[in-house]
Amino acid sequence: MHAPAIDAAAPGGRRVAVVGGGPAGLFAAERLRRAGCEVHLFEAKGSVGRKFLIAGKGGLNLTHSDPPGLFASRYRERSAEVGRWLEAFDAEALRAWARELGVPTFVGSSGRVFPDDLKAAPLLRGWVRRLRAEGVQMHVHHRWTGWAADGALCFDGPDGAVSLDADASVLALGGGSWPQLGSDGAWQDVLAGAGVALAPLQPANCGFDVGWSAHFAARHAGAPLKPVVAHWREADGSAHALQGECVVSSHGIEGSLVYAISAVLRDAIARDGHALLELDLAPGREHARLLRELSRPRGKRSLSEHLRRAAGLDGARAGLLREVLGPDAMQDPAAVASAAKRLPLRLLAPRPMVEAISSAGGVRFDAVDAGLMLRARPGTFVAGEMLDWEAPTGGYLLTACFASGAVAAAGVLDWLSRRGAGGDDDRPPMRHAWAFPRKDEADA
Ligand SMILES: Cc1cc2nc3c(=O)[nH]c(=O)nc-3n(C[C@H](O)[C@H](O)[C@H](O)COP(=O)(O)OP(=O)(O)OC[C@H]3O[C@@H](n4cnc5c(N)ncnc54)[C@H](O)[C@@H]3O)c2cc1C
């Protein structure tokens, strides 16, 4: 027996389902609607864009002002593929899009781009209002569960199971971080079952466990370290350094500097069982000067006072030195000076994906064509974080989500036009919904 079909007659037009109401899905829906499709957007939660809203909590970092080549390089192994998406829709296009919605943006001192008011909520509100006004039909509280035997999309809705027979669909179901916001990665089983090649989801832009002593964690968890310089080696052995800010957590270390290099650290742990991260706790002081100042007799001053006065090392910085060096080496100015410039931290594990800002892994690029259509499921396209790419924070995540939404929408239109033109391609016959009578016709 069929689940009841959603009443969605589409006289003359093409009906497209977009599943997932994050930025990737909303943007694909906008493009498809403006191209004249009848668009149904399905969202499992009671409202769309929950992760987008959370992203606005600390100031919505929409995109970045990097020049195009550098921008694309942020996607590391996927810079070629994501670079092609950015040719369709780049940072400038995203800023123009926001402006058109009445949300001007500015470039911060770090090069990051934010809405003038730093907030996500007004942008999302205006966007959803406009999408509805333009005719995108929103179905919240509808969780996609897979496909019926005839290819229809199946949903668990508020009144039970429903299905939709669409001409094409875009899945934009997000990655696996912060699952309470809706993107829980449950789609992996459905797509794997449909023969879609997946790379396992993994935490990205995440913190790491160090295994602090209980004493250190109790005293210093939550303490910011700014500025510090991180030193690390890439898999090819090349040495790199980056200045920024991080935070001591009860388990280890987190914050924007760590997130920026989390892919390398995570992969090193997977390969070697641990990763080495070295921190310069005194970026403003040369090693020789530090050694000279630490070697001065401290008289009656306590060691803590000496570290603070002679080298500006206090609070969590001094605590880190003690934690890593131990009490004996702390008496040796040479050991302290060296550790202050290159404090070795042995990272044991990435923090769980549920805590991460984003996830790596997902639908592999060899599972989709250039228009982001699933090779195993013609007529079904994918967009956003559920694809196998990752990027540091800095606005690169949202930009790629929008850009992939644009590419998937263009892919849908191209595919529909080729099918509509009488099948001028030589793909094998498909078993997709629109090759079958629509539910309402079939039931009539
Ligand atoms: C705390 C935090 C801060 C962030 N800050 C920034 C930032 O400043 N800049 C930046 O670039 N990025 C930031 N990000 C990352 C960014 O928000 C995500 O990369 C982006 O939202 C991913 O977009 P998406 O459309 O692919 O997926 P999502 O936004 O995750 O949306 C996917 C949607 O699909 C829905 N869904 C999932 N499964 C189903 C199903 N079976 N049926 C129906 N619907 C389903 C989900 O409920 C969800 O609404 C941040 C993330 C977090 C967690």
Side-chain angles (χ1 to χ4, degrees), residues 20 22-24 43-44 54-55 61 142 144 172-174 182-183 357 384-385 395 398 401:
E43 166 56 50
I54 290 290
N61 183 191
H142 280 75
W144 176 67
L173 305 169
S183 42
I357 298 288
E385 206 181 301
L398 284 173
C401 289

Side-chain angles (χ1 to χ4, degrees), residues 19-26 42-45 47-56 59-63 112 114 142-145 155 172-175 177-178 181-187 356-358 383-386 389 392-399 401 404:
V19 191
L26 292 171
F42 294 90
E43 166 56 50
K45 291 286 189 183
S47 59
V48 297
R50 293 192 175 194
K51 195 174 273 185
F52 188 73
L53 279 180
I54 290 290
L60 180 71
N61 183 191
L62 199 54
T63 185
R112 295 173 181 225
F114 302 90
H142 280 75
R143 166 169 286 276
W144 176 67
T145 53
F155 300 91
L173 305 169
S177 79
W178 287 53
L181 302 176
S183 42
D184 56 11
W187 50 264
I357 298 288
S358 60
E385 206 181 301
M386 69 183 291
W389 57 275
T393 56
Y396 308 107
L397 295 165
L398 284 173
T399 309
C401 289
S404 63

Side-chain angles (χ1 to χ4, degrees), residues 57-338:
K57 275 273 156 77
L60 180 71
N61 183 191
L62 199 54
T63 185
H64 202 285
S65 61
D66 279 348
L70 182 60
F71 198 111
S73 74
R74 305 298 187 186
Y75 302 90
R76 297 174 59 86
E77 292 84 357
R78 299 284 169 262
S79 57
E81 291 92 341
V82 179
R84 276 193 286 279
W85 303 348
L86 296 170
E87 285 168 18
F89 192 81
D90 64 5
E92 271 314 308
L94 183 49
R95 295 186 69 185
W97 171 86
R99 205 162 43 241
E100 190 205 314
L101 254 177
V103 179
T105 55
F106 72 97
V107 181
S109 54
S110 59
R112 295 173 181 225
V113 174
F114 302 90
D116 277 1
D117 63 1
L118 296 171
K119 293 180 185 159
L123 197 163
L124 183 66
R125 246 193 330 265
W127 190 12
V128 170
R129 200 180 305 126
R130 188 173 76 180
L131 287 170
R132 285 186 195 279
E134 289 179 356
V136 172
Q137 301 178 50
M138 305 250 186
H139 308 273
V140 295
H141 288 306
H142 280 75
R143 166 169 286 276
W144 176 67
T145 53
W147 291 278
D150 65 359
L153 293 154
C154 301
F155 300 91
D156 278 340
D159 301 318
V162 288
S163 66
L164 181 78
D165 200 3
D167 296 320
S169 56
V170 178
L171 302 177
L173 305 169
S177 79
W178 287 53
Q180 66 273 29
L181 302 176
S183 42
D184 56 11
W187 50 264
Q188 292 173 97
D189 287 346
V190 184
L191 291 195
V196 177
L198 305 176
L201 291 183
Q202 305 187 66
N205 291 297
C206 56
F208 289 86
D209 288 339
V210 179
W212 306 128
S213 66
H215 174 76
F216 176 82
R219 270 196 85 159
H220 297 294
L225 297 168
K226 55 180 184 180
V228 288
V229 175
H231 294 267
W232 76 95
R233 285 189 185 277
E234 294 276 337
D236 63 6
S238 57
H240 297 265
L242 183 66
Q243 180 162 322
E245 301 176 4
C246 50
V247 179
V248 174
S249 71
S250 52
H251 305 278
I253 192 145
E254 60 188 30
S256 56
L257 177 60
V258 176
Y259 300 160
I261 47 179
S262 60
V264 188
L265 299 172
R266 181 198 64 219
D267 293 351
I269 292 172
R271 195 181 54 241
D272 307 329
H274 71 276
L276 179 67
L277 176 67
E278 294 179 315
L279 290 184
D280 180 350
L281 300 174
R285 286 178 158 88
E286 292 292 313
H287 176 264
R289 178 179 155 207
L290 207 52
L291 181 58
R292 208 169 44 245
E293 288 167 348
L294 286 168
S295 302
R296 291 211 178 101
R298 67 176 153 108
K300 289 194 177 131
R301 286 207 302 240
S302 68
L303 179 59
S304 306
E305 189 62 7
H306 182 58
L307 286 174
R308 188 178 67 78
R309 289 235 199 141
L313 294 165
D314 59 358
R317 289 172 202 255
L320 274 170
L321 287 167
R322 273 197 202 87
E323 176 79 358
V324 172
L325 288 179
D328 293 342
M330 283 301 285
Q331 306 300 326
D332 174 3
V336 174
S338 297

